[in-house]
Amino acid sequence: GETFSENIAVRKNCAVNSQLIRTMKLILQEPGLTAPKVAILVGGPDWPTSVLCGILRLDLVQTLIGTVPVVILVVPTVLAGSFTYMKDMKDKEGTLMYPWASTAATMMFASTALVMMILSGLAVKFVADASSTRAAELEAMPIDREVEELEKEDEIKAVAYERVSLWTECPTWARVVLLLSLTCITTSVYMVFLRQGDCFRSYGLTSTIDKDLDGKWTNLVMTLGRVAIAFFLISWALLSVFEQWATSEANKIDLEEIALELKAKKDTEAGPESTPETQHLHSASGENKPLYEAGTMA
């Protein structure tokens, strides 16, 4: 995560200037084991949460300490996987070796879901509480200027893309491409969900390639499944063609003009009492974004 922290686009996609992420950063900066910190580190998605800590350049040791209680989630998860594997094990006579494992697996899956639900709920509660009770600290936190500028540019480009990709503005061939892409992906989805048994061979946790797929992993996908995958790839290719065309057309639009329009709109919404200083303050607290300056777009 810390390696990616140098990449402006990654920081922008992680919304480091948003109210949510700034509040999480404020909580995760706390030393030691605190309930809000543990709830976020353990209750959030493991890999994304840990990587986000690196992107925010949080202290590694303190982050690891806060992650230690994850054992309360790891234990039932590992047991659920173990029991799921054991429930299909048979002896030489074909009799189940652990008939009780199926019930145990269900109980462990339920326990895992319960622990995860509680921790996730606590994380949401603590973030919401910190957002309101520690507003002054959030406002004092510096915002990422590089990300702020990139967000400005991307929003302007998004407006340009939206204008050229409106259905009423698209040429006939572009509409046909979109319709074909939609038809292909819809067909693919229905084939997989309605005829799953005809698309893929059954392959469980205890299955092997040699025994269940005749020694070839490609046998997992049957003829109808290959057709469904082909429809998916065709849909993706057609959508890529449309997006490339729309992006090219959007680049021809005067971005300076869009920047001025957005600035005028935000001025109108902000009202006469709004000033650049207050706009900046609102941006730092996540309530609003700074006004656009027409001269910043090249």
Side-chain angles (χ1 to χ4, degrees):
E2 187 170 347
T3 302
F4 287 120
S5 66
E6 300 294 336
N7 190 302
I8 303 176
V10 171
R11 301 204 305 272
K12 182 249 180 189
N13 289 332
C14 291
V16 296
N17 282 340
S18 67
Q19 179 83 348
L20 172 62
I21 299 301
R22 289 164 61 82
T23 305
M24 289 176 59
K25 182 178 181 179
L26 190 64
I27 294 174
L28 293 174
Q29 285 177 334
E30 299 172 353
L33 289 171
T34 64
K37 181 178 179 179
V38 171
I40 293 175
L41 289 174
V42 180
D46 51 0
W47 188 86
T49 302
S50 298
V51 171
L52 180 63
C53 290
I55 292 174
L56 297 176
R57 291 185 172 275
L58 299 176
D59 184 83
L60 175 61
V61 175
Q62 293 298 327
T63 301
L64 291 176
I65 292 175
T67 309
V68 169
V70 75
V71 65
I72 64 176
L73 182 61
V74 171
V75 171
T77 302
V78 172
L79 290 176
S82 300
F83 291 142
T84 299
Y85 179 82
M86 293 169 61
K87 71 183 180 68
D88 293 326
M89 296 179 66
K90 300 179 182 179
D91 56 22
K92 295 181 179 180
E93 299 178 355
T95 304
L96 291 175
M97 298 175 61
Y98 308 101
W100 50 267
S102 179
T103 302
T106 301
M107 293 176 61
M108 288 300 100
F109 275 120
S111 299
T112 301
L114 179 62
V115 172
M116 193 68 205
M117 181 178 66
I118 292 175
L119 290 173
S120 298
L122 287 174
V124 172
K125 176 184 181 300
F126 287 134
V127 170
D129 290 345
S131 179
S132 58
T133 60
R134 305 176 67 177
E137 295 179 68
L138 287 172
E139 292 178 357
M141 290 178 65
I143 63 173
D144 192 320
R145 295 296 182 184
E146 293 179 324
V147 171
E148 181 185 38
E149 291 301 317
L150 184 59
E151 288 174 340
K152 290 179 182 181
E153 296 179 11
D154 286 351
E155 184 171 357
I156 293 172
K157 291 177 180 178
V159 172
Y161 185 92
E162 182 180 358
R163 290 182 180 179
V164 301
S165 59
L166 287 174
W167 183 258
T168 54
E169 300 297 326
C170 291
T172 302
W173 73 266
R175 298 183 190 181
V176 171
V177 167
L178 276 180
L179 288 174
L180 288 176
S181 177
L182 175 62
T183 301
C184 288
I185 193 62
T186 302
T187 302
S188 176
V189 170
Y190 275 103
M191 288 176 66
V192 170
F193 280 93
L194 298 182
R195 302 291 297 275
Q196 184 174 6
D198 296 325
C199 292
F200 306 100
R201 294 179 65 172
S202 178
Y203 196 84
L205 189 62
T206 58
S207 300
T208 63
I209 294 177
D210 290 335
K211 182 179 68 174
D212 299 283
L213 298 179
D214 302 325
K216 295 182 179 180
W217 67 269
T218 53
N219 290 336
L220 177 65
V221 184
M222 302 170 69
T223 302
L224 193 62
R226 293 188 175 93
V227 174
I229 293 175
F231 275 123
F232 169 81
L233 293 175
I234 293 173
S235 174
W236 171 78
L238 291 172
L239 183 59
S240 296
V241 169
F242 177 84
E243 290 179 341
Q244 289 293 328
W245 166 82
T247 301
S248 176
E249 292 297 310
N251 290 335
K252 299 176 183 178
I253 295 180
D254 186 358
L255 299 182
E256 293 287 347
E257 182 180 348
I258 296 178
L260 289 172
E261 292 177 6
L262 289 175
K263 181 180 183 301
K265 180 180 178 181
K266 288 182 177 290
D267 282 338
T268 302
E269 293 175 350
E273 297 181 358
S274 178
T275 65
E277 289 75 15
T278 57
Q279 287 290 321
H280 170 72
L281 185 60
H282 290 165
S283 174
S285 63
E287 298 174 8
N288 204 344
K289 292 185 177 180
L291 295 176
Y292 286 86
E293 296 181 5
T296 60
M297 296 301 299

